[in-house]
Amino acid sequence: MSNSSSLTQFLLLAFADRRELQLLHFWLFLGISLAALLANGLILSAVACDHHLYTPMGFFLLNLSLTDLGCICTTVPKAMDNSLWDTTTISYKGCAAQAFFFLFFISAEFSLLTIMCYDRYVAICKPLHYETLLGSRACAHMAAAAWASGFLNALLLTANTFSLPLCQGNALGQFFCEIPHILKLSCSHSGYLREIGLIVVCAFLVLMCFVFIIFSYVQIFRAVLRIPSQQGRHKVFSTCLPHLAVVSLFISTGIFAYLKPPSISFPSLDLVVSVLYSVVPQALNPLIYSLRNQEFKDALKKMMTTCFLRSNKLHLFFCRTLIA
């Protein structure tokens, strides 16, 4: 029997027992991390450098890129470190920090995805009111609300979880510090029920937002079907359907991870579900929301061309200096 006051570390779940598979997971996560860093870095640079992207959608994509980077950088590096060095430990304070920041970024990301859905709904279904409903001040307020709600949600869940007495060992059945798996170590029935109540309330709010997202996309699809141009319909559908697919994957797997009954909790299932909501959507978001967008493609081409020309000028300057 151990107590939370005496716990100094937790044991995370390894992806595999065989050394070769551990190294495979390391290289796989390294590739995902580098791709996410590169793609989101390009989005941040493009939005910051190109005034054509100073739009509500560009502003929200910038915020979404920050949450994607936050989610990836909170969970994946520690999993890579454990796979590379064949360890499974994480300190108590490190676990608390990881749980807080992951909840912070994942909650803010969901809020931003809901806001971006509203942006598309207004742009397609109420284009004449777009400037009024999504002015610069309104966008700033909505983004601030997304970050604030994420912070509040993370603070409540993390503080309540780590205030519980933990006496069921220190082995977590997950590759990062996920709240449901920490709760399994609790020996306080009342505290456990209080935390479950908070999770259920959060899940209910998520479901309400998901219903709003579905309603918005239904209205968008109805409006699109009235477009006489087949090319115009295809363009909107090819943009909106991937959005809806990733949001659905993100929400369904996230809710399942937090509300699934203990009777169907298996290590392999938990690993797959956690990767599907904590890594895959964050890696796909840059491709689906930005890099398939023609405005972003043009902005990236312009930025890369400018960087290439400046590097050539700098190279010529150094060459002339050396010759002189």
Side-chain angles (χ1 to χ4, degrees):
M1 299 286 284
S2 60
N3 189 278
S4 57
S5 61
S6 62
L7 277 179
T8 59
Q9 64 182 16
F10 290 97
L11 299 178
L12 299 175
L13 183 65
F15 275 95
D17 296 328
R18 293 174 55 187
R19 186 63 184 147
E20 296 83 1
L21 292 178
Q22 289 179 348
L23 293 176
L24 177 63
H25 286 120
F26 168 79
W27 289 111
L28 179 62
F29 269 19
L30 179 63
I32 292 174
S33 300
L34 292 177
L37 288 171
L38 176 61
N40 285 292
L42 288 174
I43 292 170
L44 293 173
S45 301
V47 174
C49 297
D50 196 321
H51 69 276
H52 292 102
L53 298 179
Y54 293 174
T55 61
M57 181 53 73
F59 175 70
F60 293 135
L61 281 173
L62 185 145
N63 283 270
L64 184 67
S65 292
L66 292 175
T67 61
D68 286 339
L69 287 174
C71 288
I72 293 288
C73 294
T74 299
T75 59
V76 173
K78 183 59 181 175
M80 291 170 54
D81 179 73
N82 286 346
S83 294
L84 181 63
W85 301 111
D86 193 19
T87 62
T88 58
T89 59
I90 185 171
S91 68
Y92 184 88
K93 292 182 179 179
C95 186
Q98 188 184 64
F100 172 80
F101 283 109
F102 176 74
L103 284 171
F104 172 49
F105 287 118
I106 208 78
S107 301
E109 176 166 340
F110 175 71
S111 299
L112 286 167
L113 289 173
T114 306
I115 293 169
M116 291 167 67
C117 175
Y118 174 70
D119 172 89
R120 292 299 86 199
Y121 166 73
V122 175
I124 295 174
C125 300
K126 299 181 181 295
L128 298 179
H129 302 282
Y130 188 79
E131 295 293 334
T132 304
L133 296 175
L134 286 156
S136 57
R137 180 172 295 184
C139 290
H141 288 167
M142 286 189 282
W147 288 104
S149 64
F151 178 83
L152 181 61
N153 181 53
L155 184 63
L156 287 174
L157 290 176
T158 307
N160 190 66
T161 299
F162 283 88
S163 66
L164 299 176
L166 307 177
C167 56
Q168 303 294 328
N170 66 340
L172 299 178
Q174 190 54 273
F175 76 95
F176 68 97
C177 291
E178 192 179 48
I179 294 295
H181 288 273
I182 301 172
L183 288 177
K184 291 180 181 179
L185 306 181
S186 172
C187 52
S188 172
H189 184 67
S190 60
Y192 177 83
L193 291 178
R194 185 172 64 249
E195 182 72 0
I196 291 297
L198 284 174
I199 291 176
V200 169
V201 170
C202 293
F204 176 76
L205 294 175
V206 168
L207 282 175
M208 291 298 98
C209 291
F210 187 53
V211 169
F212 170 77
I213 290 173
I214 295 296
F215 172 79
S216 299
Y217 273 112
V218 168
Q219 297 302 313
I220 289 172
F221 293 150
R222 289 179 61 186
V224 168
L225 290 174
R226 291 196 293 266
I227 297 177
S229 169
Q230 185 176 357
Q231 184 178 1
R233 290 197 301 270
H234 178 267
K235 181 180 179 180
V236 176
F237 276 121
S238 64
T239 301
C240 291
L241 286 176
H243 294 186
L244 185 58
V246 171
V247 171
S248 300
L249 175 69
F250 176 55
I251 295 173
S252 60
T253 52
I255 290 178
F256 180 77
Y258 277 77
L259 296 182
K260 68 179 182 297
S263 59
I264 58 171
S265 181
F266 306 103
S268 57
L269 176 64
D270 293 344
L271 280 175
V272 170
V273 170
S274 63
V275 169
L276 286 178
Y277 86 90
S278 66
V279 178
V280 173
Q282 290 73 21
L284 292 178
N285 279 340
L287 175 64
I288 291 176
Y289 283 94
S290 306
L291 301 182
R292 295 175 72 250
N293 184 296
Q294 190 59 44
E295 290 183 1
F296 270 91
K297 288 181 181 179
D298 294 340
L300 288 175
K301 288 178 182 178
K302 181 180 177 182
M303 183 179 66
M304 291 179 179
T305 302
T306 303
C307 291
F308 179 74
L309 292 175
R310 287 179 179 175
S311 65
N312 279 346
K313 289 180 180 179
L314 189 63
H315 177 71
L316 290 173
F317 172 76
F318 278 119
C319 289
R320 290 172 182 172
T321 304
L322 292 172
I323 292 173

